Amino acid sequence: MKAYVYGAGGAAITEVDKPAPKGPQVLIRVRACGLNRADLGMTKGHAHGAAGGVGAVLGMEFAGEVEALGDEAYGCKIGDRVMGSTAGAFGEYTLADHGRLLPIPDGLSFEEAATLPVALTTMHNAVVAIGKLRSGQSVLVQGASSGVGLMAMQIAKLKGARKVIGSSTDKSRRDKLHQFGADLAIDSSGDGWVDQVLAATGGAGVDLVIDQVSGKVANQNLAATRVLGRIVNVGRLGGTHADFNFDLHAARRIDYVGVTFRSRSVEEVREIFRQVRGDIWPAVEARVLKLPIDRVFPFTEIGAAFAHMEANRHLGKIVVTI
C-alpha cells in the first residue's frame, strides 16, 4: 500500500506492507486525513511522543471505513464509517485502537469528518474535563485561529461560557473569530491585550485560559487570569522555555495544568473518547460543533499540503484525500 513515510531523505510517499489488526486494533481503509501542527514537525524528523523518526508512517487523524477487526476489538463492525486518531494515519490503510474511534454522523463527508477527532478530544478534555468550565464563566483561548482553537471556543460557548476571548496574531484570521464564538478577539503579540481582557471581565480576569502558545505569554496569562482561576497548557507555539512569575502565580492561586496525549495511557485516551461521546455528541451530530476546511489536497500532493500549512495563512483544517 502507499503511505507517507519519513525516510533518510525526508518525507515521501512510499510503498509499505498493508498492516493487519491484532487484539483491540481495527484496520481502517483511510479516505481522508486532517493535517495537524505536530505532523509538520514529524515531516522534519522530530518525534511526537513515541511517534516519528526514520521509517515512521506519518499522520494522526483520519476518516474512513472499517475493513477488519482484531480479536479483542469491539464497538464497531466491518463497513462502518468512522473517524479517529492514531499513529500512522497517512496511508491507504491504518490501524487504530477500537477505543479511539468515533462514528461518522449521517450526512457528514469523509473530508469533514477528518477535521474533527483531534480537535474534539483535545479541547473537550482541556475545556471541560481538565479546565472545569462552567456556565457563566469566562475563557481565553490562546492560538484561537488554529483548528483546535476554533473548536475550543465552540465548546466553551456550548457549555454556556459568558465571555469567550480568542487570540490570533494575524488580523485577517482574528477578524473571523467571532464566527466561531469569540466575543472579543485580541492580538497577543502586543503589550496591551491583558488590559483588554481585564476590561472585558470587570477587572477580575478570566476564569479559564486554554493556552496553546505558552512561552512568551506565560506571565501575561497569569495577569489575565482571575484569583482561583485555571490555566490549561496544551501547547508550546511560543517556545518551550520562558521566564515565569512564580509570585504572581502564587498570589492569584491559579491552578496551572499541563496536558498532552503523548504521555497518556491507552485507557486514559479511551476514556477521553468516551467522554466526548457521552457529553457533546448531539452537538456534533447536529453540526453545532464543526470546523471549516481551508483546502483539500489529493494524497499525491501531500507535500504541497504541508507547504500550505507551513505558510501559516490558513484558517481551519487542511485535508488530504486518499
Side-chain angles (χ1 to χ4, degrees):
M1 71 169 200
K2 290 180 172 60
Y4 196 54
V5 179
Y6 182 76
I13 296 175
T14 307
E15 285 287 339
V16 300
D17 292 336
K18 179 181 175 181
K22 298 178 181 179
Q25 294 176 328
V26 178
L27 179 66
I28 307 297
R29 173 61 175 99
V30 178
R31 300 298 183 181
C33 297
L35 269 61
N36 291 278
R37 187 65 56 179
D39 298 321
L40 183 59
M42 286 191 284
T43 66
K44 302 177 186 302
H46 302 154
H48 184 70
V54 174
V57 177
L58 305 180
M60 63 175 62
E61 183 173 39
F62 65 87
E65 300 148 328
V66 174
E67 181 159 305
L69 304 172
D71 57 8
E72 299 174 20
Y74 61 88
C76 59
K77 63 183 185 299
I78 293 173
D80 282 354
R81 294 183 347 124
V82 296
M83 53 187 175
S85 64
T86 189
F90 292 160
E92 293 177 302
Y93 295 88
T94 191
L95 295 175
D97 181 81
H98 68 259
R100 297 184 69 157
L101 298 177
L102 298 166
I104 298 177
D106 292 341
L108 201 69
S109 69
F110 287 122
E111 291 86 352
E112 292 170 311
T115 69
L116 293 175
V118 168
L120 286 172
T121 54
T122 298
M123 285 308 177
H124 181 267
N125 179 255
V127 174
V128 179
I130 305 299
K132 298 179 173 60
L133 182 69
R134 299 292 179 262
S135 180
Q137 294 186 333
S138 54
V139 60
L140 164 63
V141 180
Q142 290 280 21
S145 62
S146 66
V148 284
L150 298 175
M151 184 59 71
M153 293 191 297
Q154 293 177 71
I155 291 174
K157 276 296 184 184
L158 180 70
K159 288 299 178 179
R162 174 179 52 84
K163 182 79 68 174
V164 175
I165 303 170
S167 81
S168 176
T169 59
D170 182 276
K171 186 180 185 306
S172 63
R173 288 180 290 197
R174 190 165 61 249
D175 289 344
K176 297 175 182 176
L177 294 184
H178 70 279
Q179 299 174 22
F180 304 93
D183 300 298
L184 172 65
I186 61 170
D187 180 358
S188 60
S189 65
D191 296 326
W193 68 265
V194 172
D195 291 335
Q196 291 179 272
V197 172
L198 294 176
T201 55
V206 293
D207 296 282
L208 173 65
V209 176
I210 301 298
D211 183 18
Q212 300 187 94
V213 178
S214 303
K216 60 186 178 181
V217 300
N219 288 333
Q220 291 169 303
N221 282 340
L222 294 173
T225 305
R226 69 179 302 133
V227 173
L228 296 178
R230 289 95 61 202
I231 297 175
V232 179
N233 176 14
V234 296
R236 56 195 189 281
L237 295 177
T240 57
H241 296 78
D243 177 69
F244 190 85
N245 190 331
F246 293 97
D247 185 62
L248 182 56
H249 179 217
R252 288 188 176 264
R253 291 178 283 159
I254 292 169
D255 286 340
Y256 195 110
V257 184
V259 296
T260 180
F261 275 68
R262 286 170 287 162
S263 57
R264 284 181 165 130
S265 67
V266 171
E267 290 76 17
E268 287 175 310
V269 176
R270 288 173 179 169
E271 178 59 23
I272 290 169
F273 274 74
R274 281 193 292 266
Q275 289 174 357
V276 167
R277 288 288 303 275
D279 186 30
I280 59 173
W281 202 247
V284 177
E285 293 179 319
R287 311 285 183 91
V288 173
L289 297 177
K290 59 185 178 180
L291 289 176
I293 295 177
D294 180 85
R295 190 168 168 187
V296 178
F297 291 81
F299 188 52
T300 53
E301 297 177 15
I302 190 169
F306 276 105
H308 185 57
M309 171 172 271
E310 192 158 25
N312 199 31
R313 305 300 299 175
H314 61 287
L315 179 73
K317 294 287 287 191
I318 300 167
V319 175
V320 170
T321 55
I322 301 179

